[in-house]
Amino acid sequence: MRSIWNGSISFGLVTIPVKTYSATDRTSSVSFVRIHEKDGAPIQYRKICELDGEEVPNEEVGKGYQTPGDDAVVPITDDDLSRLPMPTAKTLTILSFVDPSEIDPLQLDKSYYLGPNGAAAAKPYTLLREALEHHRKVAIGKVAMRGRESLAMLRAHEGAIVMHQLLWPDQIRPVTGTVPDDVEVREKELTLAETLMDSLGDLDPDELHDDYREAVEELVAAKLEGAEPSATTGPGPSGAQVIDLTAALEKSVRAARSGREEGTKASVTPIRGRSGTKGSAASDSAKETAAQQPRKAATGKRTAPKSTAAKSTGGTGAKKSTAKSTAERTTGRTAAKTAAKKSTARKTAAGKSAAGKSAAGKSTTKKSG
């Protein structure tokens, strides 16, 4: 990354030379150029002097300060600004160390990474970063960048020191007139809201994408190929609707719990066209869960699935079939035993009869002899 500002951090009597790098990238966001609709040519912006109507070249463009409530403009040169007493022009002076919760997120502006400028700055840089991390504090100071002085907050982040430019307190507008008055919230509603908060799954940062940018890119690609852009479903009506807040919360809790039991994770809508990704799987599961919820919510009861009833019926039929088969096998074995006994009895009787005849024959022989 290219350094955009070089200066130093003043930490008591310790001076830490640092280089500043932009921590954010806004170039990936959607941007449009203005064109002439008649022929599609880009429209140029020219600097025109309001007094003589002539175009002014860049080298003749200077600075001026317009006093509030007055049309007078006072010319200000770079030499004038250089003579102003501004000790923070090249030095970020730390004024205090505070708890992070004391900083209102409304004051957060641009963010920058700070890195040590030179080998000699590595040790004091590391010391400040470790102190911020170990003490769980953030540093508040003032710095002047690009001709403006602003508040700055320093914090430790992933082995580096991050600087957040802060808005001045008087730049934060009051909240007056934006909140409703005298609205009563019932205890049950608050409990359901907290339950819903706990029921939602974790957010995966890898699933966060700019869907609007993706849609614009698809639109541009279709126009370049001469194809008709595919029709998409726009958002529904945004008018205010009267709803039963408690019923809506209960339905939301059931949906969140059902999704968690089925193994779905909370996610944002993935970019279209990225099939096979983690976001697509989560989206499909979320769609199935959403499709199932209206049937449950309509009755307010959980109906046993048909598959369970089928399993139960099948199980009962299987038990009856098993019992019948067992009875048949038992009857067969009993009949076989009875037949065996009868056969044995017949054999025994036949044997006795044959023995008796034999004995009679022997007796007759003896008598005739």
Side-chain angles (χ1 to χ4, degrees):
M1 290 187 290
R2 184 176 62 88
S3 174
I4 61 174
W5 182 82
N6 293 346
S8 60
I9 300 174
S10 176
F11 176 30
L13 298 178
V14 179
T15 300
I16 309 171
V18 293
K19 289 185 176 183
T20 305
Y21 309 89
S22 180
T24 57
D25 182 12
R26 299 177 182 268
T27 58
S28 60
S29 60
V30 175
S31 61
F32 300 99
V33 296
R34 296 188 179 274
I35 63 171
H36 187 194
E37 291 185 350
K38 184 178 180 179
D39 52 23
I43 297 177
Q44 296 182 357
Y45 290 89
R46 298 181 178 179
K47 302 177 179 66
I48 305 297
C49 177
E50 294 184 0
L51 185 60
D52 56 18
E54 297 289 335
E55 183 177 354
V56 181
N58 288 333
E59 58 270 15
E60 295 182 10
V61 176
K63 297 184 182 70
Y65 184 86
Q66 186 172 2
T67 57
D70 194 354
D71 293 336
V73 177
V74 180
I76 302 293
T77 65
D78 291 338
D79 188 50
D80 294 332
L81 295 176
S82 65
R83 290 197 297 265
L84 291 177
M86 189 181 294
T88 58
K90 285 294 183 180
T91 303
L92 191 159
T93 305
I94 295 178
L95 305 175
S96 178
F97 292 89
V98 301
D99 191 271
S101 61
E102 297 182 29
I103 304 301
D104 191 336
L106 286 174
Q107 288 186 256
L108 295 177
D109 197 8
K110 297 181 180 179
S111 303
Y112 302 90
Y113 292 131
L114 299 183
N117 189 1
K123 182 67 176 289
Y125 176 92
T126 304
L127 174 63
L128 177 58
R129 184 202 65 207
E130 293 291 334
L132 290 171
E133 194 169 36
H134 184 267
H135 205 41
R136 297 181 180 178
K137 297 285 186 179
V138 295
I140 302 297
K142 294 196 301 182
V143 65
M145 292 179 59
R146 297 177 175 176
R148 296 183 181 180
E149 186 179 59
S150 65
L151 287 174
M153 180 183 74
L154 303 182
R155 67 182 181 95
H157 174 70
E158 296 185 357
I161 296 177
V162 177
M163 180 181 73
H164 299 277
Q165 279 188 315
L166 302 179
L167 300 176
W168 296 98
D170 60 359
Q171 291 179 298
I172 305 298
R173 294 178 176 177
V175 73
T176 306
T178 61
V179 294
D181 297 328
D182 300 329
V183 177
E184 181 181 357
V185 177
R186 293 183 294 176
E187 186 66 26
K188 183 179 180 180
E189 294 170 342
L190 183 59
T191 302
L192 285 171
E194 293 174 350
T195 303
L196 177 59
M197 293 167 64
D198 295 334
S199 300
L200 294 177
D202 296 332
L203 182 66
D204 187 355
D206 293 335
E207 296 181 2
L208 299 176
H209 302 288
D210 188 345
D211 295 335
Y212 181 71
R213 182 187 67 188
E214 178 76 8
V216 170
E217 291 174 352
E218 291 178 0
L219 173 64
V220 172
K223 284 182 171 291
L224 287 175
E225 295 175 358
E228 188 68 22
S230 58
T232 58
T233 303
S238 58
Q241 299 179 358
V242 179
I243 62 173
D244 185 339
L245 184 57
T246 302
L249 288 170
E250 290 176 344
K251 189 184 300 183
S252 300
V253 170
R254 287 196 299 269
R257 286 178 173 173
S258 176
R260 187 172 59 183
E261 290 173 359
E262 294 177 7
T264 58
K265 296 173 64 179
S267 65
V268 296
T269 305
I271 292 181
R272 294 187 299 277
R274 297 193 177 190
S275 59
T277 61
K278 178 168 50 179
S280 298
S283 177
D284 293 341
S285 300
K287 289 180 181 177
E288 293 175 3
T289 302
Q292 295 172 359
Q293 294 313 312
R295 294 196 296 270
K296 295 181 180 179
T299 60
K301 299 180 181 180
R302 292 190 177 181
T303 305
K306 292 183 178 180
S307 59
T308 305
K311 289 181 180 178
S312 176
T313 304
T316 304
K319 289 181 179 179
K320 290 182 179 179
S321 177
T322 303
K324 184 176 179 180
S325 178
T326 303
E328 290 176 352
R329 288 199 299 270
T330 304
T331 303
R333 287 198 296 268
T334 303
K337 288 181 179 180
T338 303
K341 287 181 179 181
K342 289 182 179 180
S343 178
T344 303
R346 285 197 297 268
K347 289 179 181 180
T348 303
K352 287 181 179 182
S353 176
K357 290 180 179 181
S358 178
K362 288 180 181 181
S363 176
T364 303
T365 304
K366 286 181 180 181
K367 287 182 181 182
S368 24

